[in-house]
Amino acid sequence: MHLLNLGILAHVDAGKTSLTERLLHSVGVIDEIGSVDAGSTQTDSLALERQRGITIKSAVVSFAVDDVTVNLIDTPGHPDFIAEVERVLGVLDGAVLVVSAVEGVQAQTRVLMRTLQRLGIPTLIFVNKIDRRGARYDGVLRALSERLTPAVVPMGRAVGLGTREAAFVPDRVPVDVLADHDDELLAAYVEGTLTQDRVRAALVARTRQGLAHPVFFGSAVTGAGVPELIAGIKELLPRADGDPDGPVSGTVFKVERGPAGEKVAYARMFSGTLRTRDHVHFGESQAEGRITAVSVFDHGTDIREDAVPAGRIARLWGLAEVRIGDAIGEPRKTHGHFFAPPTLETVVVPGPDTDRRALHLALGRLAEQDPLIGLRHDEVRQETSVSLYGEVQKEVIQATLAEEFGLTVDFRETTPLCIERPAGTGAAAEFIKKDANPFLATVGLRVDPAPAGSGVAFRLEVELGAMPYAFFKAVEDTVRETLGQGLNGWQVTDCTVTMTHSGYWPRQSHAHQGFDKSMSSTGADFRGLTPLVLIEALRRAGSQVYEPMHRFRIEAPADTLGALLPVLAASGAVPQTTETRGDLCVLEGAVPAARVHGLEQRLPGLTRGEGELESGFDHYAPVVRGDVPSRPRTDHNPLNRKEYLLNVTRRVGG
């Protein structure tokens, strides 16, 4: 039995979940096809998904095609849930990208296809909704080639477009795209010795290499084209590989809570075999856990097993501290994040009857399921902020808290998540028993700017043996923690912090007595002093606040350009290129992340409903307009020495 872990991806409303239902029905897993509108689909199990008719969480369901077991993973299509898609991509052997025959290539379709190509994931394209009025064949095929990839290979033609009788008619595979990567194939074509078997073998090879993308047309509603797609999935996509006898290695791509509140991890095994009662290490901290139960997916459900071998997807019980993205056993080489992190933030406001402690716990549960929901708790103001991709995500969080936890909340206005970068070089130092330093530690730090995108680096200009390693580690860890809030409250990045001075008092004890803490340095001394020194060095260096900028691409009727440009200017957008293609104009440029949602809302009215906006995070730009944005601090405020020492030591140093 061969295995294939297959992802279904699409722009929202392309019919992805409906296609999943049709696939399950066609292979005999379900007797009746569920409806997205009626909320009766197999993979949209959340009440909120059923109500809104969109996929929010990835779901796994299994079916067999002859000797191939397919683990089908349905993923969200809405851009606000791109983080859910990101986690799934790392466990796929192949993908089906769904495109609507009516709407054609959409903004999110382009984002997904670029990512699939970058990762080299073999991908088939299914053009859905050929039974709908307005369905197109030639226009969509041309858009696929022009806007997604020239390496599309139509596997047949669609006939009867726009009617219930619309059908997909398989045809001979065109040779031109395949010959671009195969000189022998091209020579055989020119010589007239090319056989269909040779073409088919080339198609399989190129598809599995991610160099060709077969295109099927059909309808999830009527079932047209679906048998051909299923045959293509079996023939053209690669099987899961991995040595079941090798070292244990897997990746967690989803975490949920069971009926008793226990954590259940969804994991793809890439190597080895994981068994019930096995002890395994997982995550960056290499925590150890014991597998208490295992279930694998089979014929539309999950069944308990004693073990899960390489290649399979399983649900695992027993890993209480596991988080999404954790490696199980030996870590694999990762691609990092495929999509940009959230660039927006909002404060969650509890309703009149909502307990703040219960809310904090519930938000923590949600963050377990989505690590890109960055929680930020302000103890002083008793406020919790969450990071977001967009406004729909805010609505989903609100509804989830109400339905799953019985908590009513509202939100403050969404604001952009800015960053800070050092404007220059600054240094500071404090010495034991000098300048009213209440800590038994000497720390000197210098902050230097570093190239954009380089993150934070920690260096030493003092000898590593000058004091115990634990003290150096305490300084480095505290530096990284303190840089979470710079002079204006934003995370400080793209800098190098160098330790220039160090010193400590060795462990002191008295005759016939124990350790004298008052005369001996501890890690707490270095953790207490480091924020004061670092913030002073940063103050001397100065910092610049940068706001997130999205690149945008707008396609709109050319005669609406006059109405569009003033709105773009008012949004702070900077068009960089303008191109006219017949009756269409294409604008590309940059716009502040905080203005994207407003632009999305206004675009239909400005363009008679014909405009299309594609946007995504591109870079951070210095804030040059208006007041410099700041964020309330949630730490002990090392910017104010007196307040900081009161909070940390309960006494004031001079």
Side-chain angles (χ1 to χ4, degrees):
M1 178 69 75
H2 300 292
L3 292 167
L4 168 63
N5 296 300
L6 178 71
I8 303 286
L9 299 91
H11 186 278
V12 67
D13 289 337
K16 174 174 46 59
T17 300
S18 298
L19 177 60
T20 299
E21 290 290 306
R22 174 59 68 173
L23 288 171
L24 296 177
H25 182 266
S26 298
V27 297
V29 170
I30 56 176
D31 297 325
E32 186 176 343
I33 296 176
S35 165
V36 173
D37 294 333
S40 56
T41 60
Q42 291 287 305
T43 52
D44 284 349
S45 57
L46 298 180
L48 187 60
E49 292 177 314
R50 298 180 187 277
Q51 290 168 14
R52 294 186 63 103
I54 62 173
T55 302
I56 297 169
K57 294 292 181 184
S58 60
V60 183
V61 65
S62 179
F63 62 86
V65 182
D66 298 329
D67 64 339
V68 178
T69 295
V70 179
N71 286 323
L72 185 64
I73 308 176
D74 186 17
T75 61
H78 198 286
D80 279 13
F81 309 108
I82 198 68
E84 193 73 21
V85 180
E86 173 177 319
R87 292 189 283 275
V88 170
L89 290 178
V91 305
L92 297 182
D93 302 306
V96 173
L97 183 63
V98 185
V99 178
S100 167
V102 180
E103 289 85 10
V105 175
Q106 301 287 292
Q108 186 73 353
T109 320
R110 288 162 55 87
V111 172
L112 292 169
M113 189 63 179
R114 281 199 300 265
T115 307
L116 289 165
Q117 289 180 307
R118 189 166 69 245
L119 298 176
I121 296 175
T123 303
L124 309 181
I125 298 173
F126 184 76
V127 181
N128 191 24
K129 302 185 180 181
I130 62 171
D131 58 316
R132 296 284 184 89
R133 181 180 299 176
R136 298 166 294 141
Y137 176 81
D138 292 328
V140 172
L141 205 55
R142 184 167 55 252
L144 292 175
S145 179
E146 292 175 354
R147 301 189 62 194
L148 291 187
T149 170
V152 293
V153 181
M155 301 298 290
R157 290 193 59 84
V159 297
L161 290 171
T163 70
R164 293 286 295 184
E165 289 71 40
F168 178 65
V169 181
D171 202 352
R172 289 194 167 202
V173 176
V175 180
D176 49 353
V177 171
L178 303 177
D180 287 344
H181 302 281
D182 192 328
D183 292 340
E184 292 182 6
L185 190 73
L186 180 59
Y189 175 71
V190 172
E191 295 167 3
T193 60
L194 190 61
T195 65
Q196 274 300 299
D197 287 345
R198 176 73 177 83
V199 174
R200 204 76 188 185
L203 176 65
V204 172
R206 300 298 172 268
T207 303
R208 292 182 177 183
Q209 293 167 352
L211 299 175
H213 302 286
V215 181
F216 300 84
F217 282 73
S219 167
V221 172
T222 67
V226 174
E228 290 80 7
L229 174 64
I230 292 173
I233 289 170
K234 178 190 172 185
E235 177 191 11
L236 302 173
L237 294 178
R239 307 294 177 259
D241 58 6
D243 180 7
D245 298 319
V248 170
S249 178
T251 298
V252 175
F253 65 92
K254 178 178 178 177
V255 173
E256 65 182 17
R257 292 275 177 172
E262 76 281 16
K263 277 190 181 180
V264 183
Y266 287 65
R268 157 77 189 266
M269 297 304 298
F270 292 95
S271 173
T273 299
L274 196 58
R275 296 175 174 83
T276 304
R277 294 183 294 278
D278 277 356
H279 289 265
V280 292
H281 293 279
F282 60 91
E284 292 183 4
S285 64
Q286 285 294 285
E288 184 175 301
R290 178 175 175 269
I291 304 297
T292 58
V294 171
S295 70
V296 297
F297 296 92
D298 188 41
H299 290 83
T301 185
D302 62 313
I303 56 176
R304 289 297 176 102
E305 293 282 0
D306 293 328
V308 52
R312 298 210 75 156
I313 288 176
R315 301 172 79 211
L316 306 175
W317 282 259
L319 307 180
E321 303 302 322
V322 74
R323 292 182 63 85
I324 290 171
D326 280 353
I328 295 177
E330 290 194 2
R332 298 176 68 244
K333 179 182 178 183
T334 62
H335 297 278
H337 289 306
F338 311 137
F339 303 101
T343 55
L344 303 172
E345 184 179 58
T346 185
V347 173
V348 184
V349 181
D353 301 322
T354 296
D355 180 70
R356 290 180 181 272
R357 290 172 59 85
L359 175 59
H360 189 59
L361 180 63
L363 288 170
R365 288 281 184 90
L366 293 184
E368 287 177 358
Q369 300 171 20
D370 187 350
L372 291 181
I373 293 181
L375 295 184
R376 186 173 182 271
H377 190 62
D378 186 338
E379 291 287 354
V380 176
R381 296 169 185 81
Q382 288 295 296
E383 293 178 347
T384 301
S385 303
V386 295
S387 51
L388 304 167
Y389 279 99
E391 296 297 317
V392 173
Q393 192 179 9
K394 187 193 292 186
E395 296 174 27
V396 168
I397 291 173
Q398 185 179 43
T400 303
L401 288 171
E403 291 169 12
E404 294 188 16
F405 302 95
L407 303 174
T408 58
V409 299
D410 206 342
F411 298 92
R412 298 220 186 118
E413 182 182 1
T414 302
T415 57
L417 267 173
C418 299
I419 63 169
E420 292 183 50
R421 290 175 176 148
T425 295
E430 294 209 23
F431 301 89
I432 295 178
K433 294 303 181 183
K434 289 186 178 179
D435 302 321
N437 173 10
F439 302 101
L440 296 182
T442 292
V443 174
L445 298 170
R446 184 178 67 248
V447 177
D448 296 294
S454 61
V456 175
F458 183 77
R459 303 279 186 268
L460 294 178
E461 276 186 4
V462 294
E463 291 186 11
L464 191 57
M467 63 181 185
Y469 172 74
F471 294 162
F472 285 113
K473 187 70 167 66
V475 172
E476 180 178 358
D477 290 347
T478 307
V479 162
R480 296 185 183 279
E481 181 183 346
T482 304
L483 289 177
Q485 302 181 69
L487 303 182
N488 294 282
W490 304 106
Q491 181 178 1
V492 181
T493 187
D494 301 332
C495 64
T496 300
V497 179
T498 305
M499 190 169 185
T500 57
H501 298 80
S502 67
Y504 76 109
W505 278 5
R507 184 181 180 95
Q508 303 287 326
S509 61
H510 303 290
H512 311 298
Q513 295 181 18
F515 165 54
D516 187 350
K517 183 178 178 182
S518 67
M519 297 292 290
S520 309
S521 298
T522 66
D525 288 302
F526 287 90
R527 288 190 294 271
L529 180 59
T530 297
L532 286 174
V533 176
L534 179 59
I535 287 296
E536 182 57 31
L538 188 61
R539 198 196 315 256
R540 294 174 183 179
S543 73
Q544 171 76 56
V545 175
Y546 290 72
E547 65 178 333
M549 301 290 290
H550 280 216
R551 63 183 178 280
F552 73 84
R553 183 181 189 274
I554 294 177
E555 278 192 15
D559 60 357
T560 65
L561 192 60
L564 198 54
L565 287 175
V567 174
L568 287 173
S571 300
V574 181
Q576 294 162 348
T577 62
T578 306
E579 181 184 353
T580 302
R581 299 176 183 171
D583 295 335
L584 282 179
C585 69
V586 180
L587 292 172
E588 294 186 354
V591 60
R595 306 295 184 90
V596 171
H597 181 63
L599 197 55
E600 287 174 338
Q601 291 182 312
R602 296 198 62 182
L603 187 65
L606 295 168
T607 61
R608 301 190 298 273
E610 299 177 43
E612 179 184 306
L613 170 65
E614 177 184 337
S615 73
F617 173 77
D618 188 61
H619 66 284
Y620 288 95
V623 176
V624 293
R625 304 179 307 276
D627 297 332
V628 175
S630 62
R631 184 162 66 158
R633 304 191 72 87
T634 60
D635 58 9
H636 293 306
N637 192 16
L639 285 169
N640 184 318
R641 185 182 183 92
K642 183 176 181 180
E643 177 186 336
Y644 177 82
L645 291 175
L646 275 171
N647 286 324
V648 175
T649 68
R650 301 302 174 190
R651 55 198 172 98
V652 180

